[in-house]
Amino acid sequence: MFRDNAVRLAIAPIAWTNDDMPELGGGNTFEQCISEMALAGYEGSEVGNKYPRSPELLHRALELRGLSIASAWFSAFLTVRPYEETAEAFLAHRDFLHEMGAKVIVVSEQGRSIQGQMDTPLFAHKPVFTEADWAALAAGLSGLGRLAAEKGMTLVYHHHMGTGVQTAAEIARLMELTDPNEVSLLYDTGHLAFSGENPLEVLREHLPRIKHVHLKDIRPEVVQRVKAENLSFLQAVKAGAFTVPGDGCIAFGEIFAELAASPYTGWFVVEAEQDPALADPLEYAIKARRYIRENSGL
């Protein structure tokens, strides 16, 4: 289905150790995480909170297991802080990822975000950007995109639950406000479905801008509970709103077919933050790997 070597498959460490809630998977080590990724049949990883930040040490640990770094999350604060503050932190992040051989840099605007607030209802208090916020975000991302290009890298924007760029309309507005040569899009199936959007429609609308893909599923009964009980994003994660492809309700067949027929090259990253005490990371990594092989040929 996919062209030879056009797409590589990675998995995020958040299934083993959660950056936002370190108590989830607190006892899981970095070595266990990457060893189980390799055992489950993945080629790559994103960067988690237990990964060494020395490129030399990280390279060695990954090479022993046949893994590469696909990318890593970066929190921008372009709507609430001076651009220079975000740019300084971005440069250090960019240079680390460049040393690790990554080609894309995942960026999400955390100004006004509620995704990290344990008790703030996810849907009732979703942030909405002002015109000034949109202007600051677009200009700032364009600047960061130019900094990424200095190293031959691409900025991919991560739409995310609990932020000002969550819905299909908000994604479309950000794409309209930014230059395709400076800002690309990370396409996340799970966040779109959680938000109530149609992932396939969003894929078709923005396919030329998509340079990184997160494969994530949702459990619709948990999402309904999140809405009914006014739960926060972190509470939703702990309740099991997310799961791996093939274990939820998203129909990935058409998504895979659309991507296979497109010029897309790069990484597919399985990313499903769950409580590892309830969802064994290796078991779910294997489940996702098998499902993707059976439904995409990868």
Side-chain angles (χ1 to χ4, degrees), residues 2 45 54-55 59-60 62 64 66 80 89 92 101 126-127 133 139 178 195 225 233 235 245 255 269 280 283 293:
F2 286 91
S45 170
S54 160
H59 266 302
R60 174 169 171 74
L62 295 173
L64 286 171
V80 294
K126 182 205 169 303
D133 290 335
T178 53
S195 186
R225 181 186 156 208
F233 177 73
Q235 289 167 336
I255 291 170
V269 183
D280 178 78
E283 176 187 347
R293 182 181 295 112

Side-chain angles (χ1 to χ4, degrees), residues 14 18 20-21 24 73 110 113-125 158-163 166 188 190-191 194-195 216 218 222-223 226 230-242 271-274:
I14 200 164
N18 192 294
D20 296 319
M21 295 178 283
L24 299 185
W73 171 283
Q110 291 303 293
S113 171
I114 61 169
Q115 74 178 65
Q117 298 174 12
M118 183 60 74
D119 298 315
T120 303
L122 178 58
F123 286 94
H125 293 281
H158 192 340
H159 57 92
H160 200 286
M161 294 298 296
T163 73
Q166 170 185 305
D188 189 303
H191 280 278
F194 199 155
S195 186
K216 181 185 302 185
I218 63 165
V222 180
V223 171
V226 171
N230 285 321
L231 301 183
S232 69
F233 177 73
L234 296 182
Q235 289 167 336
V237 169
K238 293 175 79 170
F242 290 128
E271 187 203 36
E273 50 265 54
Q274 303 186 76

Side-chain angles (χ1 to χ4, degrees), residues 134-145:
W134 282 111
L137 178 61
L141 289 175
S142 295
L144 298 182

Side-chain angles (χ1 to χ4, degrees), residues 173-278:
R173 182 163 192 191
L174 182 63
M175 294 297 98
E176 290 168 3
L177 289 173
T178 53
D179 186 332
N181 295 312
E182 297 169 342
V183 179
S184 295
L185 182 64
L186 182 158
Y187 170 71
D188 189 303
T189 55
H191 280 278
L192 288 168
F194 199 155
S195 186
E197 309 295 344
N198 183 321
L200 185 60
E201 290 179 1
V202 174
L203 174 64
R204 288 171 172 164
E205 181 176 357
H206 299 293
L207 190 50
R209 296 286 289 270
I210 294 170
K211 305 298 181 187
H212 202 53
V213 172
H214 279 180
L215 299 176
K216 181 185 302 185
D217 215 332
I218 63 165
R219 296 185 175 95
E221 69 279 6
V222 180
V223 171
Q224 287 305 313
R225 181 186 156 208
V226 171
K227 295 176 180 178
E229 299 181 13
N230 285 321
L231 301 183
S232 69
F233 177 73
L234 296 182
Q235 289 167 336
V237 169
K238 293 175 79 170
F242 290 128
T243 187
V244 298
D247 192 53
C249 68
I250 297 175
F252 280 90
E254 288 184 285
I255 291 170
F256 288 142
E258 197 80 24
L259 285 162
S262 78
Y264 180 84
T265 60
W267 290 96
F268 286 176
V269 183
V270 172
E271 187 203 36
E273 50 265 54
Q274 303 186 76
D275 184 345
L278 303 176

Side-chain angles (χ1 to χ4, degrees), residues 146-168:
R146 291 190 293 271
L147 293 177
E150 291 177 355
K151 293 285 190 178
M153 303 174 76
T154 300
L155 183 156
V156 290
Y157 189 86
H158 192 340
H159 57 92
H160 200 286
M161 294 298 296
T163 73
V165 186
Q166 170 185 305
T167 67

